[in-house]
Amino acid sequence: HIAIMASTKASKEQKYDRQLRLWGDHGQETLENAHVCLINATATGTEILKNLVLPGIGAFTIVDGHTVTGEDVGNNFFLSKDSIGKNRAQAATELLQELNSDVSGNFVEEGPDKLLDNDSEFFHRFTIVIGVQLPESTCLRLGSVLCSASVPFLVCKTYGLIGYMRLVVQEHTVIESHPDNALEDLRLDQPYAEFQNHIKSYDLDSMEKKDHSHTPWIIIVAKYLEKWLSEHNGQPPKNYKEKEAFRQLIREGIRKNENGVPEDEENFEEAIKNVNTALNPTKIPSAVEDIFNSEQCKNITAQSPSFWVMLRAVKEFVHNEGNGSLPVRGTIPDMIADSQKFINLQNVYREKAMQDAAAVSKHVESLLQSVGKVWPESIPEKDIKLFCKNASFLRVVRCRSLAEEYSVDTVNKDEITSCMDSPDSEMVFYLMLRAVDRFYQQHSRYPGVYNYQVEEDISKLKVCVNSLLQEYSLNVNIKDDYIHEFCRYGAAEPHTVSAFLGGSAAQEAIKIISHQFVPFNNTFLYNAMSQTSATLSL
Amino acid sequence: TSLSKGQPPAVSGWGVLVVGAGGIGCELLKNLVLTGFKNIEVIDLDTIDVSNLNRQFLFQKKHVGKSKAQVAKESALQFCPSANITAYHDSIMNPEYNVEFFRKFMLVMNALDNRAARNHVNRMCLAADIPLIESGTAGYLGQVTVIKKGMTECYECQPKPAQKTFPGCTIRNTPSEPIHCIVWAKYLFNQLFGEEDADQEVSPDTADPEAAWNPEETAARATASDKDGDIKRVSTKEWARSTGYDSVKLFNKLFKDDIMYLLTMDKLWKKRKAPTPLDWHQLENSAHDTCNKEQLFAQRLKDQQVLDVWGYCQLFQHSVETLRSQLQEKGEGAELVWDKDDPPAMDFVTAAANLRMHIFSMNMKSRFDVKSMAGNIIPAIATTNAVIAGLIVLEGLKILSGELESCRTIFLNKCPNLRKKLLVPCVLDPPSANCYVCASKPEVTVKLNVHKTMVLTLQDKIVKERFGMVAPDVQIEDGKGTILISSEEGETEGNNNKFLSDFGIRNGSRLQADDFLQDYTLLINVLHVEDLERDVEFEVVGEAPDKAPPPQTNQEEVNSITNGNKDSAQPSTSSKGQHRSGHDANAMTGGVNIQSCKNDNKHLSVPLISSIEWKVFFVCLFQ
């Protein structure tokens, strides 16, 4: 059995090698445990699902009450001519399933409204629900059901040459946000005891030449910083001038040969180069401070998700063992040094990180105990370590609900009007999509679907645009060109626009499922004519 | 609203070429078929690997090992039987695909993964004057651009950062970064099990200019190299075979004797930390618990773990044994080809590279990391390719609608940038006047030492590798038209090992290099210099010296396809607005393609057919 498991694991490692390099084994594991619900297997819907089935989600369920039409077959790769007349959920499931034998495909031959009528908890079981080409009323209804069940909801729409996505999630926590250019956590400004001892174990003056030129730059900076502080009343170099003087101090430490010419000591050069980043004061990022202060962190209950329990434990750590700082990350960058010195230094950081994580673990344990959760209801050690390692990068994304977005009282008027100062902003497409929805409510069809209607629909759509602007008291101008354009679209889903949205939406879904990387908040618009996009907060 | 004006793209009648049937290629093929393109040709020389299956959705497990182009065609036809797809399992650089071949198409779309082929297709499209859409992805990043002769920059207008090549002496004598050890280990694989290549020597390089030793030291060196028999006289492979691929003997030669020999080149170690030789028996004796093969296998699965030195010794032994039997099974004279996705080959490189890293005081790397670097692996996912392929087709539709001026270079970011844009479209730049490819009379100046540069170096490293010619002819502009290099096999082989100065080439000489296939002529001005940096054979004036870029840790930047824009993954191409409006957009003859035209006619241009007619059409067709 172990051999079989090992070989399955090895073959998965091979198949998923190129993506494991982005989200790691644990990211892959969350994907493999995910159950994704797709509502409506239109071209956009199947494109999204294809991009989730390929990287290996655990299961999907397609919810679709429609019957496959000729038009569907024309723009949807996963519906064939033979499937015309069959249920669309079933037909698409058959072909999507073929993409990856590791994924279990299911389908329900009913529309979402009917499902909600019969079983309001139907959608609670999913990791994420992706709703495609849904009318506003269904979105609102699903939005509130999913919100109460804490299931993320991704609304997607391809409308002619416009792509639209809306993320609805009350609270989405991210441990690994993978920031670009993150600063190292070196604690040079406040060395912990073990680090101080390690620094003391070096005596740069009495060292042999080879050792001197193979001392890690972190030690060099620490040594000269010690010297600087003693000469400057304990004040570190702050401005450019002082930092330059500090660099010079390090430069003077480079060994000289018998003729007084400085030797080539690359490690010293590296130290000088890193002065700026090395002197960055250790502090808690404001984004992390903010979530420390949130209600979920303050009130830990038996129902609190592990993110909040760990966050609270880290907060306790900061106020106790951490003396105001987050747990040490425990990693150092590559640098010029011989293996032994590098490994010794790395171990100092690593061991401190383990100690800190162990202290956080203790807080986790007592927090769980305080809300009546006892062993074995604990949080795995490796999760706590990962959490501590990423403590500076934690993020919580809170999206406004659709109800808030749509309500006259809570509509984000500022964002809309400020964007509409430039009348060709992507915001105009948002307003047009809303107007089109209004059209659908009034006429039970989308404008311009039949060409003979285009002319009369233009004026009807214009009425909807105006009533929308009036209802929200929006003093903005929408060019007639856009109204014509939207009538001309006739609610079509050109395949290549669906393909684009399929990629983008699946990417966001993966972020949400894996809790890695920060998803957009909360609306995304794509204009295929100009190849532009924008994210809006609505 | 560019696509809404002008004539509709009558996509169905036009032939398009897709170069590459990988991640982007599969998506592209699907998008083209569903957008109504009827005549599609696709070419790819590659076969399907397991690691493709996470994104190349036209392939399944049962297709592993088969031609990508062929299977992509068959899978696409299963879904869309009426499309007319031609597949070539071949290299686009093959002379069969000449300018005439390219002229058949209205549009060429690159979905490639290497610069050599991108350069070549760029030149072919310039020669044939056919618009080209260039694209690429790396992890979450992507890029699309349009190239059209005389209107936009070509793929080679902007100098690209040099592709990573490492000087021989660094690899053989003085590695200073893990990548040097990994390259060495890959060379070693080929020397032992694969095709031997004179440029991939792994033993100490006695000709290292930096080592330049005194004659009296020679004796000591000779003794050192004689220890295990003077292996200089036989090839590494022959010697290995003569020992029966004895892993301990191999180990001691590579990691002890060769290192001790390097130590005798003491000038090298004046400023560097000297390497520390390893001895198998010593390591074996000091290893606390010898783990058995099963444990080793279990360890191997732990891809992301760094083993200790003895762990890598055992991995070395184990992989040598496996590779030896693979070689034996293949029979006399057989060769293995290194493949990052072949476990024993990857194990061998992981072990050998790590042992060398340890010897040269570097921090060892996990198998996972070594694989990234050895395989030049660029992370790849379905989602990015889907986005990029969607963008490509939209740019293609603009070109075919005669709206080249509205085409853009589009960069896909990892997440919305500070201005909240996930996509960054940029106006296409006009051609660079100094481009050594698309200028009217391309010319470059190359700095080299005419007494030390051989004709073969000129041919392989300068004219082919640097200037991207496939089958060059080079003549000297000396009034006599002396032919230095001929593309006809065997005609000028006698010149290969002669120096340029032997042909009277000196400072200020001009060479004319031609590639008949690419319809490309380049004038090379020779600038003679006595002293180039250590290990630098030549420099192109106006460009950075041709040496390895600084080490990069960011996976996404490591790829060789980057165009120098840090925010982007790749470069792209241009197109020109050729309109074949004479073709009938409605020339549909049943089948699935038909419906995609619905989108073209109705939504991407002024509607030609009313929707109601489309509905009727569908009803007739399908009911």
Side-chain angles (χ1 to χ4, degrees):
Chain A
H1 279 298
I2 288 165
I4 291 167
M5 273 169 62
S7 82
T8 314
K9 190 165 179 257
S11 89
K12 276 192 176 177
E13 257 177 20
Q14 252 189 312
K15 181 159 93 177
Y16 297 130
D17 179 87
R18 301 303 185 268
Q19 67 199 40
L20 292 177
R21 287 163 199 282
L22 292 169
W23 52 67
D25 289 337
H26 57 293
Q28 187 64 29
E29 202 181 311
T30 57
L31 274 189
E32 286 170 19
N33 291 329
H35 189 171
V36 175
C37 173
L38 169 72
I39 304 172
N40 285 339
T42 70
T44 307
T46 55
E47 288 298 307
I48 298 170
L49 208 46
K50 152 180 144 286
N51 295 328
L52 292 171
V53 168
L54 287 169
I57 51 169
F60 67 83
T61 296
I62 301 181
V63 170
D64 195 337
H66 296 88
T67 302
V68 179
T69 65
E71 217 175 327
D72 283 326
V73 179
N75 70 348
N76 197 325
F77 196 77
F78 298 95
L79 296 173
S80 66
K81 226 166 104 180
D82 322 330
S83 60
I84 292 172
K86 277 202 218 169
N87 172 268
R88 200 163 64 179
Q90 180 186 1
T93 301
E94 281 165 14
L95 289 186
L96 282 162
Q97 177 83 74
E98 279 184 24
L99 292 177
N100 191 342
S101 54
D102 298 335
V103 179
S104 132
N106 314 278
F107 60 92
V108 177
E109 304 176 53
E110 249 177 306
D113 287 299
K114 217 168 179 187
L115 271 176
L116 285 174
D117 291 341
N118 298 335
D119 175 10
S120 62
E121 292 191 357
F122 174 83
F123 291 100
H124 291 195
R125 73 195 70 181
F126 300 110
T127 319
I128 181 172
V129 174
I130 302 171
V132 178
Q133 311 297 82
L134 290 173
E136 197 170 298
S137 56
T138 310
C139 283
L140 261 176
R141 190 173 171 204
L142 257 173
S144 84
V145 166
L146 294 173
C147 210
S148 64
S150 303
V151 177
F153 182 30
L154 185 60
V155 182
C156 301
K157 196 174 265 185
T158 297
Y159 201 96
L161 293 172
I162 303 302
Y164 163 87
M165 287 195 281
R166 169 70 153 91
L167 178 61
V168 190
V169 59
Q170 218 172 9
E171 175 188 292
H172 174 72
T173 55
V174 183
I175 297 172
E176 291 164 276
S177 58
H178 299 278
D180 288 326
N181 316 315
L183 288 171
E184 300 286 346
D185 181 24
L186 301 177
R187 309 289 166 116
L188 281 158
D189 59 331
Q190 33 184 278
Y192 42 94
E194 296 85 345
F195 183 30
Q196 273 175 351
N197 290 338
H198 186 69
I199 297 167
K200 276 199 196 107
S201 74
Y202 278 85
D203 181 358
L204 291 178
D205 297 330
S206 69
M207 271 178 156
E208 280 198 34
K209 198 172 123 190
K210 244 173 211 159
D211 283 325
H212 194 262
S213 59
H214 286 90
T215 298
W217 70 259
I218 291 179
I219 302 288
I220 298 172
V221 171
K223 284 284 184 193
Y224 286 93
L225 187 60
E226 226 168 64
K227 191 168 173 201
W228 173 281
L229 292 173
S230 71
E231 291 164 1
H232 293 82
N233 298 323
Q235 291 301 306
K238 287 194 182 103
N239 50 37
Y240 177 77
K241 202 179 146 198
E242 285 174 2
K243 282 181 186 166
E244 209 37 57
F246 182 58
R247 285 193 193 96
Q248 189 52 36
L249 184 70
I250 298 177
R251 201 169 283 123
E252 280 158 17
I254 296 176
R255 289 268 172 96
K256 298 189 174 60
N257 67 12
E258 54 274 23
N259 304 322
V261 180
E263 301 273 4
D264 258 346
E265 292 196 306
E266 287 178 281
N267 54 336
F268 272 73
E269 296 302 330
E270 213 174 38
I272 291 164
K273 205 178 76 200
N274 279 295
V275 159
N276 243 340
T277 43
L279 292 178
N280 244 307
T282 305
K283 61 178 180 221
I284 301 178
S286 59
V288 177
E289 288 278 14
D290 287 348
I291 51 176
F292 274 157
N293 293 327
S294 62
E295 281 308 307
Q296 292 90 327
C297 182
K298 285 179 182 155
N299 306 320
I300 296 298
T301 67
Q303 281 71 47
S304 293
S306 59
F307 178 92
W308 294 107
V309 177
M310 289 191 281
L311 186 79
R312 174 65 178 275
V314 167
K315 190 180 174 183
E316 302 285 333
F317 171 89
V318 169
H319 291 153
N320 294 288
E321 301 90 336
N323 293 319
S325 296
L326 293 169
V328 167
R329 198 177 304 155
T331 53
I332 55 173
D334 257 341
M335 61 190 74
I336 293 162
D338 60 61
S339 296
Q340 204 48 53
K341 292 193 183 70
F342 180 83
I343 289 168
N344 290 345
L345 180 65
Q346 199 178 36
N347 284 341
V348 169
Y349 280 92
R350 195 176 279 167
E351 274 159 28
K352 176 65 176 163
M354 290 198 340
Q355 259 178 45
D356 287 358
V360 171
S361 256
K362 283 240 163 66
H363 289 294
V364 167
E365 215 172 295
S366 59
L367 280 164
L368 289 176
Q369 237 163 34
S370 71
V371 294
K373 279 190 167 179
V374 288
W375 191 88
E377 274 191 278
S378 59
I379 298 174
E381 203 67 20
K382 71 172 188 356
D383 291 7
I384 297 175
K385 278 186 187 156
L386 185 73
F387 194 89
C388 291
K389 199 176 164 186
N390 285 283
S392 306
F393 314 129
L394 302 170
R395 292 285 177 279
V396 175
V397 176
R398 294 191 174 94
C399 297
R400 296 210 321 149
S401 70
L402 287 173
E404 284 171 299
E405 176 187 332
Y406 292 166
S407 155
V408 176
D409 303 321
T410 49
V411 62
N412 193 346
K413 252 168 93 172
D414 290 349
E415 175 99 349
I416 296 173
T417 46
S418 73
C419 284
M420 286 304 290
D421 281 347
S422 43
D424 296 317
S425 143
E426 281 82 4
M427 183 62 86
V428 75
F429 301 116
Y430 167 73
L431 296 172
M432 284 310 304
L433 288 173
R434 293 290 306 276
V436 161
D437 262 324
R438 191 162 284 234
F439 187 107
Y440 183 85
Q441 271 165 32
Q442 286 171 13
H443 306 281
S444 300
R445 64 176 178 85
Y446 287 104
V449 171
Y450 299 101
N451 263 24
Y452 71 89
Q453 299 165 322
V454 170
E455 280 310 311
E456 58 168 302
D457 282 356
I458 288 174
S459 50
K460 284 184 184 161
L461 182 58
K462 202 166 178 172
V463 172
C464 295
V465 169
N466 289 334
S467 81
L468 179 85
L469 297 180
Q470 214 163 22
E471 187 181 325
Y472 290 105
S473 343
L474 290 165
N475 187 19
V476 301
N477 178 37
I478 293 179
K479 290 186 198 168
D480 277 356
D481 282 356
Y482 290 112
I483 297 171
H484 289 233
E485 190 73 4
F486 268 70
C487 279
R488 201 174 63 85
Y489 290 159
E493 270 185 89
H495 181 80
T496 190
V497 181
S498 301
F500 173 92
L501 203 62
S504 310
Q507 189 54 53
E508 293 306 315
I510 290 170
K511 288 180 188 173
I512 290 161
I513 293 166
S514 65
H515 287 259
Q516 290 189 37
F517 302 95
V518 185
F520 72 100
N521 184 2
N522 52 28
T523 303
F524 173 85
L525 279 160
Y526 165 61
N527 175 359
M529 281 176 290
S530 59
Q531 305 277 42
T532 53
S533 74
T535 40
L536 313 166
S537 314
L538 294 166
Chain B
T1 64
S2 59
L3 283 175
S4 61
K5 296 178 193 141
Q7 288 304 300
V11 296
S12 66
W14 295 349
V16 295
L17 174 65
V18 175
V19 188
I24 296 177
C26 281
E27 296 282 339
L28 200 47
L29 217 49
K30 165 186 68 81
N31 293 357
L32 289 170
V33 163
L34 288 173
T35 304
F37 286 83
K38 303 218 73 175
N39 295 305
I40 303 168
E41 304 201 5
V42 59
I43 180 167
D44 197 315
L45 81 167
D46 218 356
T47 53
I48 296 158
D49 183 83
V50 185
S51 65
N52 300 146
L53 302 180
N54 79 328
R55 62 195 184 282
Q56 300 174 13
F57 71 99
L58 296 173
F59 311 143
Q60 292 171 20
K61 215 160 211 164
K62 62 180 180 209
H63 298 131
V64 168
K66 293 187 176 165
S67 154
K68 283 189 175 180
Q70 197 58 38
V71 175
K73 170 195 161 165
E74 284 159 17
S75 298
L77 283 181
Q78 249 178 20
F79 290 97
C80 301
S82 73
N84 177 18
I85 304 175
T86 309
Y88 304 89
H89 181 204
D90 205 349
S91 163
I92 191 63
M93 289 162 88
N94 187 318
E96 265 171 60
Y97 310 108
N98 53 18
V99 173
E100 282 313 305
F101 173 83
F102 277 83
R103 286 212 181 105
K104 289 195 304 193
F105 304 103
M106 289 304 303
L107 179 62
V108 176
M109 283 160 278
N110 269 354
L112 284 162
D113 62 355
N114 70 87
R115 199 189 289 171
R118 282 190 170 99
N119 286 343
H120 182 73
V121 176
N122 176 48
R123 291 162 190 211
M124 298 308 293
C125 287
L126 288 171
D129 199 6
I130 300 297
L132 169 65
I133 304 181
E134 177 61 75
S135 64
T137 64
Y140 298 112
L141 305 177
Q143 184 184 343
V144 177
T145 189
V146 172
I147 296 172
K148 172 68 180 78
K149 185 181 181 180
M151 294 181 73
T152 71
E153 282 190 338
C154 82
Y155 178 69
E156 294 166 272
C157 271
Q158 294 292 334
K160 314 275 186 296
Q163 265 174 317
K164 273 180 298 182
T165 54
F166 298 100
C169 315
T170 307
I171 300 300
R172 294 167 65 182
N173 293 357
T174 53
S176 58
E177 293 165 26
I179 184 69
H180 301 149
C181 301
I182 292 167
V183 169
W184 179 86
K186 277 172 73 180
Y187 286 180
L188 178 64
F189 179 92
N190 285 339
Q191 295 287 329
L192 290 178
F193 308 106
E195 192 186 352
E196 286 177 277
D197 179 339
D199 279 340
Q200 300 192 347
E201 261 304 327
V202 290
S203 53
D205 180 9
T206 54
D208 190 335
E210 214 193 308
W213 43 38
N214 304 319
E216 61 265 28
E217 288 165 9
T218 319
R221 284 196 314 280
T223 336
S225 76
D226 272 344
K227 265 196 179 158
D228 219 320
D230 187 359
I231 58 158
K232 287 266 121 192
R233 273 180 263 133
V234 293
S235 79
T236 311
K237 195 175 191 174
E238 278 172 55
W239 175 78
R241 202 180 286 153
S242 74
T243 70
Y245 283 98
D246 181 318
S247 55
V248 175
K249 279 192 181 152
L250 280 177
F251 183 96
N252 280 339
K253 173 192 153 24
L254 293 165
F255 303 114
K256 188 174 87 181
D257 300 341
D258 279 355
I259 302 302
M260 281 164 65
Y261 184 81
L262 278 177
L263 286 171
T264 68
M265 298 161 74
D266 51 2
K267 277 204 177 137
L268 293 177
W269 316 114
K270 287 225 161 96
K271 284 180 183 170
R272 295 187 180 87
K273 188 169 165 74
T276 321
L278 293 176
D279 181 275
W280 178 273
H281 299 291
Q282 229 172 319
L283 287 162
E284 189 172 32
N285 293 337
S286 58
H288 296 297
D289 49 335
T290 44
C291 61
N292 59 33
K293 292 273 158 59
E294 262 167 66
Q295 278 171 312
L296 192 69
F297 180 72
Q299 267 177 334
R300 211 180 63 197
L301 290 177
K302 288 182 191 158
D303 232 22
Q304 308 205 22
Q305 190 179 309
V306 180
L307 311 182
D308 61 10
V309 176
W310 181 240
Y312 286 120
C313 293
Q314 288 182 300
L315 190 63
F316 179 80
Q317 182 170 47
H318 182 71
S319 58
V320 166
E321 280 163 13
T322 314
L323 292 167
R324 174 185 56 196
S325 40
Q326 279 187 5
L327 202 57
Q328 269 166 1
E329 274 167 36
K330 286 190 137 187
E332 190 60 29
E335 284 167 352
L336 301 180
V337 178
W338 190 79
D339 177 359
K340 58 185 179 288
D341 291 311
D342 176 40
M346 192 55 231
D347 282 346
F348 175 83
V349 165
T350 305
N354 269 306
L355 290 167
R356 194 163 167 91
M357 283 182 227
H358 183 78
I359 286 167
F360 284 91
S361 292
M362 288 172 227
N363 303 301
M364 299 198 286
K365 300 239 168 233
S366 70
R367 188 180 185 276
F368 188 79
D369 288 340
V370 173
K371 187 173 174 181
S372 266
M373 296 166 86
N376 211 355
I377 291 181
I378 300 158
I381 35 171
T383 51
T384 311
N385 290 329
V387 167
I388 290 300
L391 296 176
I392 293 172
V393 174
L394 285 157
E395 291 305 299
L397 290 171
K398 287 193 219 167
I399 294 168
L400 297 178
S401 314
E403 297 179 15
L404 190 76
E405 65 288 345
S406 67
C407 288
R408 295 287 180 271
T409 294
I410 306 137
F411 299 99
L412 171 68
N413 288 326
K414 187 163 95 179
C415 51
N417 63 13
L418 293 175
R419 292 173 55 240
K420 299 189 173 180
K421 309 288 182 191
L422 188 70
L423 297 175
V424 182
C426 304
V427 174
L428 299 172
D429 286 321
S432 155
N434 303 323
C435 177
Y436 68 74
V437 176
C438 74
S440 60
K441 284 189 177 154
E443 195 169 329
V444 286
T445 300
V446 176
K447 231 194 253 186
L448 48 75
N449 185 333
V450 294
H451 307 298
K452 289 188 181 167
T453 307
M454 288 193 292
V455 173
L456 190 65
T457 307
L458 174 72
Q459 176 188 295
D460 287 354
K461 301 216 168 136
I462 303 181
V463 178
K464 284 190 179 174
E465 203 177 302
R466 169 47 79 92
F467 296 123
M469 291 196 184
V470 174
D473 292 283
V474 179
Q475 62 174 25
I476 310 171
E477 291 210 329
D478 54 1
K480 292 177 283 183
T482 308
I483 308 281
L484 204 55
I485 299 166
S486 167
S487 56
E488 286 298 320
E489 212 166 308
E491 272 191 7
T492 50
E493 240 138 69
N495 295 350
N496 279 357
N497 294 321
K498 293 186 183 153
F499 293 109
L500 297 187
S501 54
D502 297 342
F503 297 88
I505 296 173
R506 55 196 159 81
N507 190 34
S509 291
R510 286 154 72 90
L511 309 176
Q512 185 185 313
D514 276 292
D515 188 302
F516 181 73
L517 179 61
Q518 296 176 342
D519 193 13
Y520 172 47
T521 302
L522 178 65
L523 200 62
I524 302 171
N525 297 295
V526 175
L527 180 64
H528 169 74
V529 285
E530 285 293 333
D531 293 310
L532 283 162
E533 255 182 83
R534 177 188 184 228
D535 283 330
V536 174
E537 287 179 297
F538 68 95
E539 255 176 50
V540 178
V541 174
E543 284 179 24
D546 187 34
K547 60 178 189 185
Q552 290 172 325
T553 47
N554 183 343
Q555 184 100 69
E556 280 148 359
E557 286 170 30
V558 178
N559 73 75
S560 52
I561 46 178
T562 174
N563 67 346
N565 180 341
K566 249 191 143 188
D567 295 333
S568 72
Q570 307 249 357
S572 69
T573 70
S574 75
S575 73
K576 72 156 199 166
Q578 283 199 6
H579 322 307
R580 299 269 169 99
S581 42
H583 286 250
D584 181 5
N586 308 326
M588 303 167 295
T589 52
V592 182
N593 285 354
I594 306 162
Q595 294 119 339
S596 53
C597 297
K598 163 190 68 188
N599 294 326
D600 303 324
N601 290 327
K602 181 151 180 267
H603 303 293
L604 300 179
S605 59
V606 173
L608 287 185
I609 309 176
S610 72
S611 308
I612 185 72
E613 283 170 297
W614 280 107
K615 298 281 176 193
V616 170
F617 187 80
F618 289 129
V619 170
C620 301
L621 189 69
F622 297 116
Q623 288 186 0

